[in-house]
Amino acid sequence: MKVKEKQFDLEYINKYASQLTIGNGFFGIRGSQEEDYRNQVRGMFIAGVYNRPLGTESAELVNLPDVVKADIKIDGEHFSLESMKVLTYERALDLKTGELKRCTVVEISNGKKVQVVTSRVADQHNQQQVALKVAITPLFADCQIEIVTGIDGQQTNFGTQQLVEKELRVFGDDLLGASYQTTESNIGIGISARFNKKGVFQAKNRRITAAFSEMVKKNTTFTLEKVVVLSTSLQHEKPFEQSVAQARQSESYTKILEQSKTYWSNFWRDHRVTIESTASFDQFALDFAAYHLQIMTPRNDASVSVGAKGLTGEGYKGHVFWDTEIFILPFFLYQFPDIAKNLLTYRYDRLAGARQKARKHHYQGALFPWESASTGNEETPKFAALNIKTGTRQEVASAAAEHHIVADIAYAVQEYMQATDDQLFLETKGKALVHETAAFWLSRAVKVNDRLEIHQVIGPDEYTEYIDNNAYTNYLAYYNVSLAVKYQVGDSLFLKECQTFLEQLYLPKANEEQLIPQDDTYLSKPIIDLSLYKERPGSQSILLDYARSEVNELQVSKQADLVMLLYLLPTYFSQSIVAKNLRYYENKTIHDSSLSKAIHAIEACRIQDSEWAYQLFQEACLIDLGSEPHTSDDGLHAASLGALWMTVIFGFAGIQTTDGQLTISPQLPENWESMTFPFVWKNHSLFFELTKEQVIVKKDSEEPLPIFYAGTQYQLKKKLIFNWRNESCVS
Ligand code: IFM
């Protein structure tokens, strides 16, 4: 269970930095090398620490002062994997322990050989702490070792300075600290570092450092340990003082590592999806996804959510999209329902901003921002990258028209309710979310002759802008309003309006070829050969050949759109409609968004094309783990990691939870012998074991729980065994 980097290559330095992130839901620290390299982007992020730099319209997740950097000199020569002769090299993130460790032997210019081992681990017990270690062993001759490390306030978000330095201090001879404040959001940040040795301190140019120097005998090891404590005014009144006080009592590297090992061993024991298969990469990709989902998501804090890159990089400025409710939340809902509740509470607490956005655009109810940060206001940048030839900027239309996020949030509320029956949440937050979102759709629809239509939207497919009656949006809006009726939210007049909306809203139906139009005009647009672009998914290479406005006029989808609808509302469409539309739209979809392939894979399972599903799943695994350089430089694709888990559970295991009924209908890939996974459903912890012959479901209590298999309802007490071949069941 290791994510390994076998050789050092500058081309991959930032991709590995994302992959090798350590963290604990409170903070994330990119897996950057300790020493500096050209173009290396370091990164340390604390969930919820956003700032809106002067002159910009969107808040950014602040890239905090660096604590990882260590300048190492051996006999006066700078340690560098570029300039030194590297004899051995391996860097690995051990998912079993949470430790990132690099082990290398280098030969310096005077011929001496030295082993340099650096490691770091996030504290899983005290989430404010991270432990770092540098251990240097001269192999055949004594060496002079010097290390300079500390807290580096020169760190920026791609050049944008987010922090004012308030205080730099040293305490005794083994502790230093720095205090900062974000320039606009006024969040106080305290960072302290305590060493296991006495250092010589210096503060200069927004850096505070400790220097350590020692003549080290051959075959003995010089070990420097550093424990860093991170504190913010979001949690503590005096973050600097709190970080210093805690650093004074910090534990050793070994203790923090032990705690991390215990945490991860419990996590894997209770939450691992296991696959017995000839393809070990499948298991690895799932472990990778689970590890990252776990460290990017706040464990017990409803004031923050998960950005599109988690805490692994600066991409998308740390903003929260529909990715969270639709792609990330399921992993938690069916394993840690309280975390799913927190993610929904984050939206509930931002209803004011959503209402304000709705009013600004003359709608009722709540129009959630397409991109969200801390305030609940719209954070989507107005413009995308500058076209340096024309000097013009392409406007980002999502904030103005990608309104499906409203229904996506309501959908997630219902997913939560079905899985938990949490009446307290429903009464205190769920109903308000359903009411306000439904009210938005009532005001968003327009009357055309005798029916209601939804115009000028962008569906999930962001290559098709400002279209009318996007099927995904219309159906999800319908579902959203039907929830308002189900839960009887609002007064009788509102409920009457909801009924009328449900009766009159136009829901695009399948045409004579069984195709549901993605929107009013999609199917009448020209079709082009996409094979070249489909070979490089995620690269948006079509935009090198066509202007965006031209792509808009073609049957080209960036990502799952109509297929996304089939996935979210499975009972609305027959198997033959799913089959027909999946094949049609897959052919028109480039998968230029990472949110796409896995959804197609799930739908391929539903039409029992497990070979195709498996191929799509494997391709989805490569989104962050493929061999192309630079694809994840600015962070991992959080939604795609969530979607890998979803593919295995909702696709291959065939779990469905629609209408509050738990159904299983597995579809294991040819080369998977078996799989097991935990699943929390209606406050019961279930455990599934799937083989080619049977499905075994276990639970702890005797209390009967309905579960559907092959169209029949069974009562699960402690154990049920379904036999695939003859569709029989034994309990
Ligand atoms: O939310 C997605 C969107 O669907 C496609 N572009 C990237 C966003 C963030 O992942």
Side-chain angles (χ1 to χ4, degrees):
M1 287 181 83
K2 285 186 176 175
V3 188
K4 287 187 185 163
E5 181 192 41
K6 293 206 170 115
Q7 77 183 51
F8 173 74
D9 182 344
L10 277 181
E11 274 299 291
Y12 288 87
I13 195 161
N14 288 319
K15 181 162 181 163
Y16 274 113
S18 301
Q19 286 184 6
L20 302 178
T21 296
I22 58 165
N24 54 23
F26 173 65
F27 69 79
I29 297 182
R30 280 166 67 77
S32 311
Q33 304 279 0
E34 280 72 8
E35 58 286 350
D36 277 338
Y37 293 100
R38 269 174 297 133
N39 300 330
Q40 169 165 264
V41 181
R42 300 176 178 280
M44 177 165 84
F45 309 94
I46 292 181
V49 175
Y50 290 97
N51 185 56
R52 198 179 311 272
L54 191 66
T56 61
E57 78 268 18
S58 335
E60 299 177 359
L61 186 66
V62 175
N63 196 340
L64 291 163
D66 174 71
V67 298
V68 165
K69 179 177 162 135
D71 279 331
I72 303 170
K73 276 190 195 165
I74 307 170
D75 279 355
E77 192 174 332
H78 274 287
F79 171 77
S80 162
L81 299 163
E82 265 195 302
S83 59
M84 285 178 170
K85 191 167 170 190
V86 179
L87 303 177
T88 66
Y89 179 87
E90 186 176 284
R91 201 156 67 116
L93 172 62
D94 189 341
L95 303 182
K96 271 193 178 155
T97 65
E99 187 184 42
L100 171 61
K101 189 167 186 172
R102 177 183 68 171
C103 194
T104 183
V105 176
V106 291
E107 185 177 313
I108 63 174
S109 49
N110 62 15
K112 291 184 190 173
K113 295 187 175 68
V114 182
Q115 184 188 61
V116 178
V117 179
T118 56
S119 46
R120 68 189 84 141
V121 61
D123 195 325
Q124 302 298 333
H125 178 67
N126 179 341
Q127 291 182 285
Q128 290 177 260
Q129 292 189 155
V130 55
L132 305 104
K133 186 157 80 171
V134 180
I136 302 180
T137 314
L139 294 180
F140 303 108
D142 306 351
C143 285
Q144 180 70 35
I145 304 297
E146 289 167 74
I147 303 177
V148 179
T149 183
I151 302 166
D152 185 355
Q154 288 191 12
Q155 185 65 46
T156 62
N157 280 67
F158 292 133
T160 303
Q161 180 61 255
Q162 309 270 10
L163 301 168
V164 176
E165 185 182 280
K166 302 294 257 188
E167 218 176 328
L168 298 177
R169 293 282 305 279
V170 299
F171 304 92
D173 44 24
D174 64 350
L175 203 159
L176 51 76
S179 162
Y180 306 93
Q181 188 165 326
T182 54
T183 56
E184 174 268 346
S185 52
N186 295 326
I187 301 173
I189 313 282
I191 306 180
S192 301
R194 180 158 170 231
F195 302 93
N196 65 337
K197 293 183 187 303
K198 294 177 180 178
V200 178
F201 298 125
Q202 192 180 31
K204 205 175 171 193
N205 302 336
R206 297 173 69 88
R207 283 187 178 133
I208 181 160
T209 54
F212 305 86
S213 177
E214 208 168 296
M215 189 63 174
V216 185
K217 295 260 172 256
K218 67 177 178 185
N219 297 326
T220 61
T221 302
F222 172 86
T223 305
L224 177 68
E225 288 186 14
K226 174 180 179 186
V227 175
V228 175
V229 180
L230 308 169
S231 187
T232 88
S233 60
L234 298 176
Q235 293 83 22
H236 300 279
E237 209 178 313
K238 295 185 168 176
F240 180 54
E241 288 77 358
Q242 196 271 335
S243 74
V244 172
Q246 199 177 301
R248 283 205 167 100
Q249 304 158 15
S250 62
E251 285 147 334
S252 66
Y253 186 96
T254 314
K255 181 83 198 288
I256 292 171
L257 176 59
E258 280 312 313
Q259 281 165 357
S260 178
K261 276 184 188 163
T262 308
Y263 175 85
W264 286 110
S265 113
N266 292 341
F267 175 81
W268 295 120
R269 183 196 60 212
D270 298 338
H271 301 287
R272 192 173 189 210
V273 176
T274 69
I275 296 162
E276 206 187 310
S277 140
T278 46
S280 57
F281 183 74
D282 297 345
Q283 177 72 63
F284 170 68
L286 281 174
D287 291 342
F288 178 83
Y291 165 86
H292 277 291
L293 288 164
Q294 191 64 11
I295 67 163
M296 66 174 59
T297 307
R299 290 188 195 150
N300 41 29
D301 184 357
S303 69
V304 282
S305 185
V306 191
K309 305 284 184 180
L311 299 170
T312 65
E314 290 179 31
Y316 290 119
K317 301 179 193 290
H319 293 171
V320 181
F321 294 69
W322 70 311
D323 304 31
T324 305
E325 284 74 17
I326 300 296
F327 296 83
I328 296 169
L329 183 136
F331 174 87
F332 294 99
L333 176 56
Y334 300 113
Q335 299 192 83
F336 307 91
D338 282 348
I339 294 184
K341 178 163 66 183
N342 286 344
L343 296 173
L344 294 171
T345 302
Y346 164 88
R347 293 295 191 180
Y348 171 81
D349 289 342
R350 282 156 187 78
L351 267 171
R355 281 193 203 105
Q356 220 174 39
K357 180 173 174 189
R359 298 305 166 271
K360 188 172 159 198
H361 297 277
H362 312 292
Y363 300 123
Q364 299 296 310
L367 171 50
F368 280 98
W370 175 244
E371 298 184 26
S372 177
S374 44
T375 63
N377 296 335
E378 182 59 76
E379 301 287 357
T380 308
K382 285 208 173 49
F383 297 100
L386 176 73
N387 179 328
I388 50 176
K389 284 192 192 148
T390 61
T392 55
R393 285 181 188 268
Q394 165 83 35
E395 230 179 293
V396 179
S398 298
E402 209 161 343
H403 291 167
H404 64 81
I405 185 160
V406 173
D408 302 330
I409 291 170
Y411 181 92
V413 169
Q414 175 60 1
E415 291 296 282
Y416 176 75
M417 283 313 302
Q418 283 183 174
T420 64
D421 289 335
D422 181 346
Q423 294 304 316
L424 183 62
F425 173 82
L426 181 68
E427 292 303 328
T428 56
K429 302 188 175 84
K431 281 189 176 174
L433 282 165
V434 168
H435 185 184
E436 298 277 356
T437 49
F440 166 74
W441 292 115
L442 300 190
S443 66
R444 182 66 177 79
V446 289
K447 194 86 187 243
V448 179
N449 301 323
D450 56 351
R451 69 183 190 191
L452 289 169
E453 301 192 354
I454 301 178
H455 289 177
Q456 295 293 292
V457 295
I458 302 175
D461 164 22
E462 293 173 340
Y463 282 168
T464 310
E465 293 181 344
Y466 294 116
I467 30 84
D468 296 343
N469 296 315
N470 167 249
Y472 177 92
T473 307
N474 284 25
Y475 275 90
L476 266 286
Y478 179 91
Y479 184 75
N480 189 160
V481 174
S482 69
L483 291 177
V485 175
K486 176 181 169 66
Y487 291 117
Q488 292 287 292
V489 300
D491 58 18
S492 56
L493 182 63
F494 176 73
L495 287 168
K496 207 159 159 246
E497 282 171 8
C498 288
Q499 281 297 358
T500 311
F501 178 93
L502 295 175
E503 281 155 24
Q504 297 186 351
L505 181 68
Y506 165 52
L507 295 177
K509 296 279 179 324
N511 62 17
E512 57 287 355
E513 288 157 69
Q514 286 203 302
L515 292 177
I516 303 169
Q518 185 176 299
D519 58 62
D520 279 357
T521 51
Y522 191 92
L523 292 178
S524 57
K525 291 174 178 173
I527 295 174
I528 59 163
D529 177 11
L530 293 179
S531 41
L532 268 184
Y533 309 119
K534 279 168 85 76
E535 273 170 26
R536 298 193 53 219
S539 67
Q540 310 208 347
S541 55
I542 192 167
L543 299 179
L544 300 175
D545 296 338
Y546 294 87
R548 265 194 107 100
S549 53
E550 291 172 315
V551 177
N552 211 20
E553 299 311 317
L554 298 169
Q555 285 195 47
V556 173
S557 296
K558 180 181 181 188
Q559 64 202 89
D561 186 303
L562 200 278
V563 175
M564 197 71 216
L565 166 63
L566 305 177
Y567 162 66
L568 287 184
L569 298 178
T571 52
Y572 283 41
F573 308 100
S574 71
Q575 181 120 348
S576 68
I577 294 275
V578 173
K580 184 77 190 185
N581 284 275
L582 175 62
R583 293 194 194 286
Y584 185 86
Y585 282 102
E586 209 289 326
N587 190 262
K588 315 284 175 298
T589 304
I590 303 180
H591 301 293
D592 266 344
S593 158
S594 66
L595 280 58
S596 192
K597 282 212 166 154
I599 301 301
H600 281 244
I602 297 173
E603 290 310 290
C605 284
R606 287 196 180 152
I607 61 162
Q608 270 130 45
D609 193 337
S610 51
E611 203 179 314
W612 190 26
Y614 185 54
Q615 183 198 328
L616 286 160
F617 166 73
Q618 287 196 306
E619 289 167 10
C621 290
L622 298 179
I623 288 170
D624 284 310
L625 289 169
S627 56
E628 283 253 322
H630 305 300
T631 50
S632 309
D633 281 3
D634 62 359
L636 300 178
H637 301 78
S640 132
L641 298 172
L644 291 183
W645 183 88
M646 284 157 47
T647 308
V648 173
I649 305 301
F650 305 136
F652 298 130
I655 292 279
Q656 267 196 23
T657 57
T658 325
D659 299 332
Q661 295 183 340
L662 183 64
T663 305
I664 180 145
S665 158
Q667 191 65 228
L668 294 195
E670 188 62 30
N671 61 346
W672 289 13
E673 282 308 312
S674 64
M675 68 176 282
T676 68
F677 61 94
F679 196 84
V680 176
W681 179 245
K682 302 207 187 276
N683 302 313
H684 293 283
S685 293
L686 312 185
F687 189 73
F688 287 85
E689 295 169 27
L690 275 49
T691 66
K692 294 259 150 99
E693 271 72 44
Q694 41 183 220
V695 177
I696 303 175
V697 199
K698 293 179 187 159
K699 97 171 152 46
D700 282 344
S701 69
E702 282 286 345
E703 194 189 331
L705 180 73
I707 177 161
F708 287 76
Y709 174 75
T712 309
Q713 179 178 321
Y714 298 90
Q715 294 299 333
L716 166 64
K717 290 185 179 164
K718 282 211 152 172
K719 187 172 177 180
L720 274 181
I721 304 175
F722 303 114
N723 290 311
W724 285 35
R725 310 260 179 248
N726 53 12
E727 299 195 345
S728 66
C729 168
V730 221
S731 63

